[in-house]
Amino acid sequence: MSRSDYEVVIGLEVHAELSTKTKIFCSCPTEFGGDPNTHTCPVCMAMPGALPVLNEKVVEYAVKAGLATNCEISRDSKNDRKNYFYPDLPKSYQISQFDKPLCEHGYVEIEDDEGNLKKVRILRIHIEEDAGKLNHNEFGGGSLVDLNRAGVPLIETVSEPDLRSAKEAENYLRKLKSIFEYIEVSDCKMQEGSLRADVNVSVHKPGTPFGTRTEMKNMNSFRSIVRAIEYEIDRQIDVIEDGGVIEQETLRWDDVSGRTFSMRDKEDAQDYRYFPDPDLVAIRLPEDYIEEIRKNLPELPESRKERYTSEYGLSEKDANLLTASKYMSNLFEGANKICNNPKAVANWLLSDISRILNEKEMEPEQIPFTAEQLAKMIELIEKGTISSAIGKKVITELFENPKDPEEIIKEKGWIQISDEGAIKEVVMKILEANPQSVSDFKAGKDKALGFLVGQAMKETRGQANPQMLNKMFLEELNK
Ligand code: ADP
Ligand code: ZN
Ligand code: MG
């Protein structure tokens, strides 16, 4: 039996940190960073007798997320205690939601492996609080607890087990990230942990019931998620092929060794002894409250995509790529507002800039330069101050050392050579060095001209004005 005899089943539990100003049950700031335990108070430090008060913004953001993912919004919801012991959890329970989540039964559309649209069902979205952070050995041995993150609001989005490959799982997570960014409920910075996923994987033979799943916790990069899923699929198939059984367990993915390790047996809901939090009142949402939020939802990727094809004349594919990330799309709009050249802006973003992002394994939100700097670079090309070959070099430089492109080209001496005397000098030199091409051109091989222009561009390290080169070569050759 081989890998292709098995079907893969994946479901994701995605945690997104909400970008509210204050925590979910107290008024401490949610800001990232800060000295340990400076963003704390008796409530998030779990002092006896301190009482939580639900932050209304958290409910609003969760409802926004639910509406944007086609969920039904519960009119009647509540908070529950999820009990477990861990040093980063000062109350020894996490306030979460058990049987009455705020949002249920939604879906998002993604591209499957054949490139077709596919609905991935969302089981639920609930609100909960984040735990603190353990610092190991950072302060001279031992472990210290930092509660700045304790009580930061999260939404957990649980998918149905509808995903069938690592690629689909990646597409799904990218889609959720994009939606949450568009509706501005989370900044979704994976490097800072504000978007992370628990990845559940199982394999089975088609026509048989789903296999036992394993769960990889707290994954926060697309690349490791894909690698971890691929690894886990192979591992599970090997175990089954060797006559073994898959244990339901929680795994830790290790990026360095490229394999998973067992963390603990999987706990069941009953192990958490969930019960309603007696310190908090039930959440009842009036109809007009939900309608108000629905009415004010910002533009979502789908409608932005349509606007890009109709308003800017971009292709479906380009519009899709640009709007997949809100950051990318904002950069596009910002730059276009200044230079008013949608095709050029789209081109630079989707070719050179995307290539560099790929090489550096960066996400669009990590682009260090501004829309204004990108627009300026494009305007310098339009004005003929630099060639597009130099433009490419400017983009590379903008990634390293972002500043005004005009300053960059001055400093580097990259201004396009449009001086007739200088161009002529290069043309004569190249003609002299390539007598074969000259006679080829005279014998009717037009391609030789392109070669000569290319040589001249090389000679001037891309700085000669290509139109002028073309013209002057023709003049000389036709003499
Ligand atoms: P828990 O919190 O115990 O992990 P949840 O119900 O919150 O349980 O989440 C279960 C997740 O596992 C969901 O995303 C679901 O889609 C996924 N899942 C359930 N069964 C399977 C399976 N057989 N294979 C892969 N994923 C599964
Ligand atoms: Zn607090
Ligand atoms: Mg889970």
Side-chain angles (χ1 to χ4, degrees):
M1 284 247 165
S2 73
R3 195 174 147 158
S4 57
D5 296 318
Y6 289 86
E7 184 175 55
V8 172
V9 174
I10 302 167
L12 259 51
E13 298 157 79
V14 178
H15 291 91
E17 222 162 69
L18 298 180
S19 35
T20 55
K21 289 203 179 64
T22 56
K23 293 187 180 180
I24 182 168
F25 299 118
C26 61
S27 54
C28 293
T30 54
E31 220 174 286
F32 184 72
D35 284 338
N37 299 306
T38 53
H39 302 166
T40 53
C41 73
V43 173
C44 54
M45 286 193 299
M47 296 296 177
L51 286 173
V53 177
L54 179 59
N55 178 349
E56 197 193 321
K57 275 278 169 212
V58 171
V59 176
E60 183 189 321
Y61 282 22
V63 170
K64 265 175 134 177
L67 291 172
T69 52
N70 308 294
C71 285
E72 291 160 20
I73 310 299
S74 314
R75 272 55 176 169
D76 185 13
S77 177
K78 68 177 168 67
N79 295 106
D80 300 285
R81 291 186 181 180
K82 178 179 181 179
N83 300 277
Y84 66 92
F85 295 103
Y86 204 70
D88 65 9
L89 188 73
K91 294 194 295 290
S92 284
Y93 59 84
Q94 176 195 31
I95 305 179
S96 180
Q97 296 194 286
F98 182 50
D99 53 335
K100 287 183 168 185
L102 269 174
C103 319
E104 286 182 285
H105 313 307
Y107 67 87
V108 295
E109 280 184 332
I110 65 156
E111 212 170 79
D112 69 11
D113 287 341
E114 275 76 53
N116 301 316
L117 276 188
K118 154 174 185 168
K119 274 186 186 171
V120 179
R121 291 168 301 156
I122 289 171
L123 181 65
R124 55 189 279 156
I125 301 179
H126 65 253
I127 54 173
E128 61 185 26
E129 57 181 341
D130 209 345
K133 185 170 171 260
L134 294 182
N135 292 307
H136 304 290
N137 300 318
E138 249 177 71
F139 302 93
S143 296
L144 296 173
V145 188
D146 175 9
L147 295 178
N148 283 352
R149 212 181 55 193
V152 166
L154 302 173
I155 47 174
E156 176 173 341
T157 306
V158 183
S159 83
E160 296 278 3
D162 285 349
L163 302 159
R164 293 291 172 270
S165 71
K167 186 69 198 155
E168 281 190 16
E170 177 181 355
N171 291 349
Y172 166 75
L173 187 58
R174 283 196 186 276
K175 192 51 167 268
L176 267 196
K177 178 172 187 281
S178 161
I179 292 172
F180 292 167
E181 284 170 0
Y182 271 84
I183 58 173
E184 293 176 347
V185 298
S186 170
D187 65 18
C188 293
K189 287 190 182 154
M190 296 179 87
Q191 330 77 255
E192 289 179 11
S194 44
L195 189 76
R196 42 193 206 258
D198 299 345
V199 181
N200 297 272
V201 180
S202 69
V203 299
H204 69 126
K205 293 189 185 131
T208 65
F210 281 179
T212 303
R213 70 183 155 114
T214 58
E215 177 173 8
M216 295 175 280
K217 285 272 188 199
N218 273 326
M219 310 279 306
N220 67 349
S221 94
F222 288 111
R223 195 168 149 267
S224 3
I225 288 173
V226 169
R227 284 179 71 204
I229 292 174
E230 298 288 358
Y231 174 88
E232 191 51 22
I233 292 169
D234 286 342
R235 188 193 68 84
Q236 291 188 10
I237 292 176
D238 283 348
V239 169
I240 296 169
E241 289 291 300
D242 287 347
V245 285
I246 302 300
E247 303 285 344
Q248 182 165 341
E249 58 184 347
T250 304
L251 304 173
R252 180 176 63 81
W253 165 254
D254 181 58
D255 239 343
V256 179
S257 58
R259 49 167 295 204
T260 52
F261 293 90
S262 181
M263 272 168 75
R264 55 172 186 257
D265 294 345
K266 174 73 196 152
E267 52 284 271
D268 276 320
Q270 68 205 31
D271 299 327
Y272 290 125
R273 297 168 293 122
Y274 278 101
F275 63 87
D277 193 307
D279 291 340
L280 288 157
V281 293
I283 308 169
R284 300 246 154 75
L285 301 181
E287 213 62 43
D288 50 353
Y289 172 85
I290 298 169
E291 279 321 302
E292 192 61 26
I293 296 176
R294 194 194 301 275
K295 238 179 34 212
N296 290 317
L297 270 187
E299 188 182 33
L300 287 169
E302 295 304 318
S303 62
R304 210 176 250 211
K305 196 173 87 188
E306 267 155 41
R307 197 159 58 74
Y308 282 17
T309 52
S310 59
E311 204 172 297
Y312 300 128
L314 298 181
S315 72
E316 181 94 17
K317 183 166 167 253
D318 287 358
N320 215 354
L321 287 169
L322 281 176
T323 54
S325 144
K326 183 177 193 192
Y327 192 88
M328 186 72 110
S329 162
N330 284 351
L331 203 55
F332 168 78
E333 300 202 356
N336 189 46
K337 219 173 250 161
I338 300 169
C339 67
N340 199 14
N341 188 344
K343 292 257 160 69
V345 180
N347 236 330
W348 282 103
L349 284 171
L350 296 177
S351 57
D352 289 79
I353 295 171
S354 293
R355 178 182 48 76
I356 296 174
L357 287 178
N358 257 340
E359 281 166 12
K360 294 185 182 282
E361 287 177 19
M362 282 164 70
E363 293 297 320
E365 58 269 29
Q366 293 170 282
I367 292 176
F369 52 84
T370 63
E372 198 186 350
Q373 290 165 338
L374 173 60
K376 264 237 170 116
M377 192 281 293
I378 293 171
E379 286 178 334
L380 287 171
I381 298 178
E382 287 172 343
K383 281 190 282 186
T385 315
I386 58 173
S387 62
S388 37
I390 296 292
K392 284 176 191 286
K393 296 213 269 185
V394 172
I395 291 292
T396 309
E397 188 60 24
L398 280 174
F399 267 95
E400 298 307 320
N401 192 6
K403 60 177 164 192
D404 185 351
E406 207 149 5
E407 236 172 85
I408 294 180
I409 60 168
K410 260 190 212 136
E411 251 170 44
K412 303 260 177 193
W414 283 348
I415 297 181
Q416 176 160 272
I417 305 169
S418 300
D419 174 73
E420 230 163 277
I423 297 272
K424 177 132 191 190
E425 209 172 290
V426 181
V427 167
M428 298 318 282
K429 184 173 171 190
I430 297 297
L431 285 174
E432 204 167 314
N434 298 281
Q436 186 58 46
S437 300
V438 175
S439 39
D440 282 355
F441 183 82
K442 295 202 163 153
K445 289 190 189 154
D446 290 348
K447 267 208 304 212
L449 175 64
F451 173 77
L452 290 167
V453 172
Q455 291 303 100
M457 286 303 271
K458 216 180 199 174
E459 174 74 20
T460 58
R461 304 209 311 283
Q463 279 172 255
N465 179 326
Q467 283 83 29
M468 288 182 73
L469 278 180
N470 229 17
K471 194 164 148 257
M472 208 165 288
F473 268 120
L474 272 176
E475 275 171 21
E476 288 303 322
L477 288 166
N478 289 328
K479 261 187 189 161

